Amino acid sequence: MTAKVIADDAEALAVATALADEFRTGASARDAERRLPYAELERLSASGLLAVTVPAEHGGADVRQETLAEIFRLLASADASLAQIPQNHFVYTNVIRHQGSLAQKEFFFAEVLAGRRFGNAQSEAGTRHVQDIRTRLEPRPDGSYRLSGVKHYSTGALFADWIPVLARAEDDNLHVAYVPRDADGVTVVDDWDGMGQRTTASGTVRLDAVDVPADRVVPHHLTFRGPQLHGAVAQLLHAAIDAGIAAGALAEAAEFVRTKSRPWFESGVETAAEDPLLIQRFGELALQVRASEALLGDAARAVDTARDELTDTSAAEASIAVAAAKAHTAATAVLVADALFEVSGTRAALNSLNLHRHWRDARTHTLHDPARWKIQHIGRYVLSGTKPPRHGLL
């Protein structure tokens, strides 16, 4: 594949806007038919958007996090499943940036600039909790490794060129092994049957004694030994997806009310869009969406500030700002996607219209991690100045 190389933030946003408009057409049908977006992902790769965080010294645009968050918000407003697929791509590009050797950076950044995609094999089912990782990297006499385990919720793996696998080495420390999608011993099973985000193909990855060269393994555990933004960057993109879902649902609700809804007979108006009670409700929903977008922008700028001068304090400020944005956007996405039916009326519930995809996507995506724990960390920070913990989910 020959991928375009995007030059700067402005070009990245222009490309994302155009692609969102393109992907919006057909998004409902893809969801209803569970038609996996192979062609759309090829367009995304060729556009150069997947390489916009590659550092400038390696040939990328190295856009600000504020720009990256807006890219995800735009894509999610059109198709939340499609926006979810590259989230892990950027997370694991970021791992290479911070913990990869020079040789690893040169190799993998070239892959990303060429349009290659990273998936993920991170989460496991049946363990004690989300960070109980049992997949193992076993050392071999020649310095390479053998990788074995089973992963679930592996968003993007089915479409990937490389699958980053989170695994524990002999010393129990976490590493990321970058494995070719077609490597011997790798099986990707398309068994995702979630009610929402239907076309993310977030299925199972089986790793059966996969050979991994030493230069394809990155010491991810080192990320958390000092001030870090790994979790903040990952969560920022999740918040952007939620904000996009909310914006997309609000826009579709407004279009439905303008063109299809009937006014309530007691309102005395000719069209539903003139109903003062509906006008009030749309105003309330728009306030929530605007507040989420403002918090998202504030969080992204906090991450950018911390990236420019990373300290324990700047990292904590960024993590708390992202936690606030994620808690608010998650609530807003579910609220607006649910209110779509309230304002649109009975006809909106027809299965054939598939308007429920917004709620299904919002409800599914917001289950990634509980907002209640983010609010706990915010409260501790405000009351006692307690800095949030260093892990990849905050």
Side-chain angles (χ1 to χ4, degrees):
M1 172 186 293
T2 300
K4 180 180 180 180
V5 177
I6 288 175
D8 54 29
D9 294 67
E11 184 180 8
L13 289 172
V15 171
T17 300
L19 281 180
D21 289 341
E22 179 182 325
F23 295 157
R24 188 170 287 107
T25 301
S28 178
R30 284 192 297 273
D31 173 90
E33 301 164 13
R34 197 178 177 271
R35 191 169 71 241
L36 299 182
Y38 286 101
E40 289 76 15
L41 286 170
E42 288 298 301
R43 288 278 295 119
L44 189 62
S45 290
S47 75
L49 274 185
L50 296 183
V52 294
T53 59
V54 170
E57 61 267 28
H58 291 278
D62 200 10
V63 301
R64 305 288 282 173
Q65 294 301 295
E66 186 174 11
T67 297
L68 187 62
E70 180 62 7
I71 289 169
F72 271 79
R73 192 195 69 82
L74 288 166
L75 294 176
S77 72
D79 185 335
S81 286
L82 195 51
Q84 177 62 33
I85 292 168
Q87 190 266 349
N88 287 293
H89 170 90
F90 284 98
V91 168
Y92 286 104
T93 299
N94 201 36
V95 170
I96 293 290
R97 179 186 189 123
H98 291 290
Q99 297 303 334
S101 67
L102 178 58
Q104 288 172 327
K105 290 176 183 178
E106 289 175 346
F107 176 79
F108 281 114
F109 287 150
E111 288 285 280
V112 173
L113 285 166
R116 308 283 193 272
R117 294 189 292 269
F118 293 153
N120 97 99
Q122 178 172 293
S123 295
E124 299 181 11
T127 56
R128 290 189 306 114
H129 52 71
V130 71
Q131 294 206 336
D132 180 14
I133 302 298
R134 300 180 183 178
T135 299
R136 309 303 296 190
L137 271 171
E138 299 174 3
R140 305 178 69 191
D142 64 358
S144 67
Y145 296 89
R146 182 157 287 162
L147 179 65
S148 298
V150 180
K151 298 289 188 175
H152 298 269
Y153 312 117
S154 302
T155 302
L158 192 68
F159 313 111
D161 298 287
W162 292 90
I163 302 176
V165 181
L166 195 62
R168 293 195 183 277
E170 196 174 33
D171 59 6
D172 213 38
N173 283 322
L174 281 175
H175 292 68
V176 176
Y178 289 75
V179 178
R181 163 70 177 80
D182 58 358
D184 290 341
V186 174
T187 304
V188 181
V189 184
D190 181 21
D191 57 358
W192 170 241
D193 66 348
M195 67 174 181
Q197 295 200 294
R198 288 177 171 175
T199 62
T200 59
S202 300
T204 301
V205 172
R206 301 186 185 279
L207 305 148
D208 184 14
V210 179
D211 290 329
V212 184
D215 62 358
R216 296 294 180 262
V217 176
V218 176
H220 188 39
H221 61 99
L222 297 180
T223 300
F224 306 101
R225 292 188 176 176
Q228 54 81 36
L229 297 170
H230 176 80
V233 169
Q235 291 292 304
L236 180 69
L237 302 186
H238 282 307
I241 292 168
D242 289 338
I245 292 172
L250 184 63
E252 188 142 15
E255 177 65 15
F256 193 94
V257 169
R258 283 193 298 264
T259 61
K260 296 181 177 66
S261 294
R262 296 182 298 178
W264 184 244
F265 71 96
E266 293 178 284
S267 67
V269 297
E270 291 297 317
T271 67
E274 297 172 288
D275 184 332
L277 299 182
L278 282 180
I279 290 170
Q280 176 72 19
R281 188 63 176 133
F282 270 97
E284 293 167 350
L285 296 172
L287 281 175
Q288 292 302 312
V289 172
R290 283 174 174 260
S292 280
E293 291 173 354
L295 283 168
L296 179 68
D298 178 70
R301 289 187 291 275
V303 175
D304 281 326
T305 297
R307 283 204 334 168
D308 292 341
E309 189 173 349
L310 187 60
T311 65
D312 275 327
T313 298
S314 67
E317 288 283 352
S319 290
I320 292 298
V322 171
K326 183 64 175 69
H328 199 280
T329 57
T332 300
V334 174
L335 169 70
V336 177
D338 178 71
L340 182 155
F341 301 98
E342 171 197 337
V343 296
S344 300
T346 306
R347 185 181 175 190
L350 293 178
N351 194 57
S352 59
L353 296 177
N354 200 27
L355 292 177
H356 48 68
R357 74 185 184 280
H358 298 290
W359 184 87
R360 289 186 287 99
D361 286 340
R363 186 64 282 174
T364 301
H365 183 256
T366 55
L367 296 176
H368 268 87
D369 47 271
R372 59 187 177 271
W373 275 99
K374 299 182 186 304
I375 294 170
Q376 283 281 312
H377 291 306
I378 294 169
R380 291 191 186 102
Y381 191 68
V382 170
L383 278 173
S384 62
T386 303
K387 291 181 173 64
R390 294 172 179 165
H391 61 61
L393 298 174
L394 191 68

